[in-house]
Amino acid sequence: MESWNKARKVPEKTLLGPGPTPVDGRILRAMAEPTLGHLDRDFVAIMDETRDLLRMVFQTKNDLTVAMSGTGSAGMETACVNMIERGDKVIICSHGVFGTRMQDVAGRCGAEVVEVNAPMGRPVDPGDVRRAIAANPDAKLLGIVHAETSTGVLQPLDEIVSIVHGAGMFMVVDAVTSLGGMDVPVDRLGFDMVYSGSQKCLACPPGLAPVTVSPRAVEYIKNRKSKIQSWYLDLTMIMRYWGQERFYHHTAPVNMIYGLNEGLRMIAEEGLENRFVRHRRNAEALWAGLEALGLELLVEKAFRLPSLTSVKIPEGIDEAVVRGRLMDEYSIEIGSGLGDLKGKIIRIGLMGSGSNRKNIVLFLSALGRILSDQGFRTDLDTAQEAVHKVLARD
Ligand SMILES: *Cc1c(COP(=O)(O)O)cnc(C)c1O
């Protein structure tokens, strides 16, 4: 009770987990700007600019590009409730926890879900997608996770999208952990519905889910037979609020939009391509350092995500102790394994502002110290040398 009289001070920590990721002070200051009415002309101008900036990161001209009020999972629900009608057959791929979540959400929308699964740590095989479509020619859409945060696998999508479109189906992509950190070429590959979240590579606080929808999918949503089951996530109404009409739907989280706007401006300033290169290079430096410490990575290099790295826990090491000490002694947050990988891996996110040399060097030295205390022989100097070698390359 007494503490109610004092101002709260939240401690600073280094967020190197699967998200949220470190938020730059510029974004936090933007969020402290005066709250405006959600239909105020000055706010509406900020919304319009935010849409343009979202089109830049999604690399799209899609008219229907918005930030849904909710986290990444609200983006997933938005895709499912708008694209699925009760009784529809859909193919949903899973190579980890988030693909499995999409299968669950699609099922809750009344879809008959055909699953295409891959083992944890591997991407989905395009051959399996081809076979599933051949066996289910009446399937209407395929959903897949681009960057599977539970394992650290980057799913190649070029071949799968051409199979999906060849069958006349819609392609739904979860880009929660890829957007703003790696290439998500929405128009070039013709994805029909892509959603993301504000707190991963976009490096804003959690709370908004950017979504973009192709003109073909918009036509479908406008003409579907049944009413969209969710009032809150109904894109036919949301598009009237974000569009010229400014039809009142729900109160936009005004200050959150200021934050997203500022985060997207930072991406525009850096340049998308430069940002991809930075994420990739820092991830390679981290991988080199981890391997020099004697650790093994879960995912083979060809399918590794630049934004999230899964590391196998060596025999005899207690991963809960490792994570606990990183937090208690260094204020570093990392992620644990999910599902079948619980206790077997740790997950290190280098996303957005968090993807930098300082974090890699700090993390590796803290980890090396903790592992050697547990009897695992490591050579920190070699690890730091390996990091600097990667970062010195041009
Ligand atoms: C984090 C994440 C989500 C869920 O986002 P929330 O913001 O936690 O709701 C969905 N998909 C992927 C791939 C994610 O990494």
Side-chain angles (χ1 to χ4, degrees), residues 71-74 76 98 101 145 147-149 174 176-177 199-200:
T71 64
S73 305
M76 189 186 284
F98 293 103
R101 184 181 294 180
V145 175
E148 182 43 84
T149 324
D174 176 320
V176 176
T177 295
Q199 80 279 21
K200 313 247 172 143

Side-chain angles (χ1 to χ4, degrees), residues 62-79:
N62 284 342
D63 186 47
L64 181 49
T65 302
V66 298
M68 298 298 286
S69 306
T71 64
S73 305
M76 189 186 284
E77 298 247 18
T78 299

Side-chain angles (χ1 to χ4, degrees), residues 103-119:
Q103 292 170 342
D104 181 14
V105 174
R108 286 166 191 248
C109 295
E112 182 189 331
V113 180
V114 175
E115 297 182 5
V116 175
N117 298 329

Side-chain angles (χ1 to χ4, degrees), residues 88-93 102-103 106 111-116 128-144 164 169-170 172:
D88 281 348
K89 188 183 267 189
V90 301
I91 298 176
I92 311 284
C93 302
M102 208 199 293
Q103 292 170 342
E112 182 189 331
V113 180
V114 175
E115 297 182 5
V116 175
D128 290 342
V129 168
R130 201 183 292 282
R131 281 183 284 279
I133 293 178
N136 298 281
D138 51 338
K140 167 168 137 189
L141 69 80
L142 180 129
I144 194 162
V164 167
M169 296 163 63
F170 291 110
V172 171

Side-chain angles (χ1 to χ4, degrees), residues 5-17:
N5 299 326
K6 299 188 197 111
R8 175 179 13 246
K9 179 92 181 84
V10 175
E12 284 219 28
K13 306 201 178 187
T14 303
L15 301 181
L16 300 182

